[in-house]
């Protein structure tokens, strides 16, 4: 069972709720921060009536009602010796029920956006993990899905800018695994990503929610600028291809994509650690 923890966002004012998946092997461990998508971290079967999630408040959205995808990945990383932290960006801001598909223009999303709000949550999670004695401070990675994937790319853009300004005196994220992000102009802080830390993108060729072609263009421009970015495009795979529910896995291409992404992601992190 994951542990529920609380820590401060780098916005300086929000106390975030997080779910910590801890390995059974002795630490210290490398770590990974997992950034949920626009649906939030909880199961859609349980989150309809959820609003606020925080310390001292009972909610049907809690460690027992995490979505299957987030629970699967958290268990996956902890079984492989990584401490995995899933921050909830929405619940502490009164939006634990998340947002449905095609709600990009919803004004209610503005104060939990992927450009200047959620990246600060990821940076708060990084600071929290760096402060733990059971974490290897120089081996903290990032993973994000959809809106969380766009957030992860923006974190890497911000990190690259800080390094460019010679402000990166502490170790940042060693790399980012980015699953089917939105890569359009409104989703990213820059159309070209400047980073020395590697990025691996996993895209579905039949994504019905975001454009894999736009992400490929961003990756191509960024590689030409010298950034280490790799892209895997899965034929026949849709948005949320690694959601382990029977409905999502019934879509052609998703099972093969999920199986490959699990193995590939673990192999990539093992290479980045060296």
């Amino acid at each position: 069972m994951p542990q529920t923890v609380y820590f401060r966002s780098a916005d300086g004012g929000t106390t975030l709720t997080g779910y910590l998946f801890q390995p059974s092997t002795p630490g210290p461990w490398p770590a990974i921060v997992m950034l949920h998508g626009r649906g939030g971290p909880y199961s859609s079967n349980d989150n309809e009536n959820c609003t606020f999630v925080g310390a001292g408040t009972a909610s049907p959205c809690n460690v027992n009602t995490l979505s299957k995808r987030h629970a699967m990945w958290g268990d996956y990383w902890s079984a492989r010796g990584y401490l995995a932290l899933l921050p909830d960006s929405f619940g502490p801001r009164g939006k634990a029920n998340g947002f449905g598909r095609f709600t990009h223009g919803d004004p209610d999303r503005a104060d939990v956006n992927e450009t200047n709000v959620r990246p600060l949550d990821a940076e708060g999670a990084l600071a929290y993990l760096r402060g733990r004695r059971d974490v290897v401070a120089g081996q903290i990675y990032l993973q994000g899905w959809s809106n969380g994937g766009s957030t992860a790319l923006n974190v890497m853009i911000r990190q690259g800018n800080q390094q460019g300004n010679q402000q990166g005196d502490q170790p940042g994220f060693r790399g980012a695994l980015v699953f089917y992000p939105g890569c359009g102009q409104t989703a990213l802080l820059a159309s070209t990503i400047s980073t020395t830390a590697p990025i691996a993108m996993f895209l579905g060729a039949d994504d019905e929610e975001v454009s894999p072609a736009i992400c490929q263009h961003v990756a191509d421009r960024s590689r030409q600028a010298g950034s280490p970015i790799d892209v895997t495009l899965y034929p026949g795979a849709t948005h949320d291809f690694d959601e382990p529910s029977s409905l999502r896995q019934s879509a052609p291409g998703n099972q093969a994509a999920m199986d490959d992404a699990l193995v590939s992601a673990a192999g990539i992190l093992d290479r980045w650690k060296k």
Side-chain angles (χ1 to χ4, degrees), residues 164-177:
N165 294 331
Q166 297 183 332
Q167 295 173 352
D169 55 341
Q170 288 186 300
F173 289 105
R174 280 282 299 273
L177 305 169

Side-chain angles (χ1 to χ4, degrees), residues 7-261:
F7 56 92
R8 187 66 63 91
S9 169
D11 69 7
T14 306
T15 298
L16 298 172
T17 302
Y19 303 100
L20 201 66
F21 297 78
Q22 188 165 306
S24 58
T25 54
W29 308 286
I32 184 163
V33 174
M34 307 191 301
L35 302 178
H36 62 75
R38 51 107 188 111
Y42 308 105
S43 169
S44 59
N45 296 325
D46 301 290
N47 70 358
E48 181 178 0
N49 297 316
C50 294
T51 53
F52 179 77
V53 176
T57 301
S59 171
C61 286
N62 55 54
V63 69
N64 297 306
T65 59
L66 296 175
S67 79
K68 290 181 179 180
R69 178 181 60 199
H70 297 118
M72 176 189 75
W73 276 103
D75 289 339
Y76 185 79
W77 290 125
S78 64
R80 280 154 186 78
Y82 292 85
L83 184 73
L85 174 61
L86 172 66
D88 177 5
S89 284
F90 292 173
R93 296 185 173 96
K95 303 172 191 286
N97 56 335
F99 301 89
R101 288 192 168 193
F102 313 116
T103 57
H104 301 291
D106 187 342
D108 203 34
R109 290 178 59 166
D111 58 353
V112 289
N113 72 65
E114 66 272 40
T115 53
N116 58 25
V117 178
R118 298 197 64 201
L120 299 178
D121 295 351
E123 291 166 7
L126 174 65
Y128 166 74
L129 290 173
R130 279 198 306 230
R132 290 180 61 104
R133 294 183 178 179
D134 55 4
V135 171
V136 182
Q139 291 187 7
I140 303 175
Y141 306 89
L142 192 58
Q143 181 177 25
W145 299 267
S146 194
N147 181 273
S150 303
T151 302
L153 292 176
N154 287 327
V155 170
M156 303 310 282
I157 291 169
R158 286 168 55 87
Q159 184 170 296
N161 290 340
Q162 290 169 351
Q163 290 171 343
N165 294 331
Q166 297 183 332
Q167 295 173 352
D169 55 341
Q170 288 186 300
F173 289 105
R174 280 282 299 273
L177 305 169
V178 182
F179 285 66
Y180 36 84
C183 295
Q185 291 183 346
T186 60
L188 297 185
L189 293 168
S191 59
T192 300
I193 301 168
S194 178
T195 176
T196 56
I199 296 171
M201 283 192 200
F202 300 85
L203 311 176
D206 291 353
D207 195 310
E208 70 280 23
E209 190 166 342
V210 299
S211 169
I214 293 176
C215 286
Q216 288 179 300
H217 292 322
V218 169
D220 288 343
R221 284 194 300 271
S222 303
R223 272 197 299 270
Q224 291 168 8
S227 296
I229 300 181
D230 291 324
V231 177
T232 301
L233 181 67
Y234 292 115
T238 69
H239 203 72
D240 293 327
F241 61 74
D242 61 329
E243 166 60 52
S245 67
S246 56
L247 177 62
R248 183 52 52 176
Q249 290 306 305
S250 67
N254 282 359
Q255 182 73 60
M258 182 176 76
D259 291 346
D260 182 81

